[in-house]
Amino acid sequence: MTRKPGQGNVMGRLRLATYNIQKSVGMDLRRRPRRTLKVIEGTGADLVLLQEADKRLPPRPAALPHFVLDEAGWHIVDLGGAGSLGWHGNVVIWRGDALRLVDQGHIPLPGLEPRGAVWARFETALGPLRVVGAHLGLTTRARHEQVHHLARHIASEPDLPTVCAGDFNEWSRQPVLDHIAPQLRFVPPKASFPALRPIGALDRIAVSRGLRVVESGVYRARPAHVASDHLPVWADLEAESG
């Protein structure tokens, strides 16, 4: 039975997914936004962080058009940019009535590449929740500086349960990121790249105190194998007792 968005909240859980959609261009080199949407909805996620959701060149129009998401009942966090879906290609979308957007913003990231992260704060069935979505750099030094920067930013904000997720571009399966951001607990990495034959766990999810990951996985059902060069990664969250 396919899990529909919103079911996690009924059970005291919330499903979050992260997905690099490669500008809705699949491994067959075809731009098919509705195929991208089919994969997103297949994850059963209530809340989704997307990367590479805008085209590369200014004015960076949305690669996954607003109207496609609107027609399917998805809400889009307004992160600015004329015609863009998000900021630096990072997008936050959600579906259902159990989440209420409270605030949102940007986090500039260090490094030579033009990189940035986005955040949004929600009221949910689990209580207040902050999500941070990021697409990190290609070099080891840049990635680690960016994770450290995100960790410092999160620590400087009000103490709220937080999920940090996205395409971290980190090939190592060792707990490197855990050591850089000890206040975050990273979900054990699972291979999500390349989609046709995954070997790299580039897509990561981490949670702060106040949240517990009950279950997690990589969404592999067709057409995910061809819709992007990444597969979506998801996690079911519960409020941490005590």
Side-chain angles (χ1 to χ4, degrees):
M1 180 178 178
T2 302
R3 181 189 183 280
K4 296 179 180 180
Q7 288 182 339
N9 293 308
V10 174
M11 301 180 289
R13 294 185 182 181
L14 184 148
R15 177 168 291 187
L16 178 141
T18 180
Y19 185 25
N20 183 329
I21 67 172
Q22 196 185 218
K23 305 173 187 65
S24 290
V25 177
M27 302 298 286
D28 56 2
L29 302 182
R30 296 180 179 179
R31 188 185 304 278
R32 296 178 60 185
R34 294 188 187 279
R35 177 173 64 184
T36 301
L37 179 62
K38 182 176 181 179
V39 176
I40 292 170
E41 295 194 327
T43 67
D46 310 289
L47 183 57
V48 184
L49 307 179
L50 301 175
Q51 302 86 48
E52 295 196 30
D54 295 325
K55 297 179 184 178
R56 184 176 299 277
L57 298 177
R60 294 184 66 105
L64 179 57
H66 291 71
F67 75 87
V68 172
L69 291 166
D70 290 341
E71 288 174 355
W74 287 90
H75 307 287
I76 306 163
V77 174
D78 183 3
L79 294 161
S84 297
L85 197 60
W87 190 66
H88 281 285
N90 295 296
V91 173
V92 182
I93 62 174
W94 81 99
R95 193 175 185 183
D97 300 325
L99 289 86
R100 181 176 66 86
L101 180 66
V102 176
D103 202 0
Q104 70 275 341
H106 306 157
I107 308 172
L109 294 178
L112 296 178
E113 300 174 79
R115 298 284 179 175
V118 298
W119 63 269
R121 183 158 57 90
F122 291 90
E123 291 293 338
T124 78
L126 308 184
L129 176 69
R130 181 195 297 116
V131 296
V132 177
H135 187 183
L136 302 187
L138 296 175
T139 69
T140 300
R141 180 175 179 178
R143 278 196 304 277
H144 294 178
E145 287 180 350
Q146 289 159 4
V147 171
H148 183 63
H149 185 84
L150 287 173
R152 284 189 301 170
H153 177 89
I154 292 169
S156 71
E157 293 294 309
D159 187 15
L160 289 176
T162 299
V163 182
C164 186
D167 179 358
F168 279 43
N169 268 317
E170 180 63 56
W171 284 87
S172 174
R173 300 293 187 96
Q174 300 302 311
V176 176
L177 303 180
D178 308 61
H179 296 320
I180 298 171
Q183 68 270 55
L184 295 173
R185 302 190 305 274
F186 281 82
V187 175
K190 297 179 174 66
S192 59
F193 178 88
L196 285 172
R197 187 173 294 178
I199 57 173
L202 306 192
D203 305 282
R204 307 288 180 99
I205 298 174
V207 300
S208 74
R209 184 179 59 185
L211 293 171
R212 184 167 73 95
V213 176
V214 182
E215 193 174 355
S216 65
V218 177
Y219 181 73
R220 302 176 184 274
R222 293 173 179 265
H225 71 297
V226 72
S228 169
D229 57 347
H230 288 248
L231 295 171
V233 174
W234 58 267
D236 284 341
L237 309 175
E238 285 184 352
E240 193 174 49
S241 59

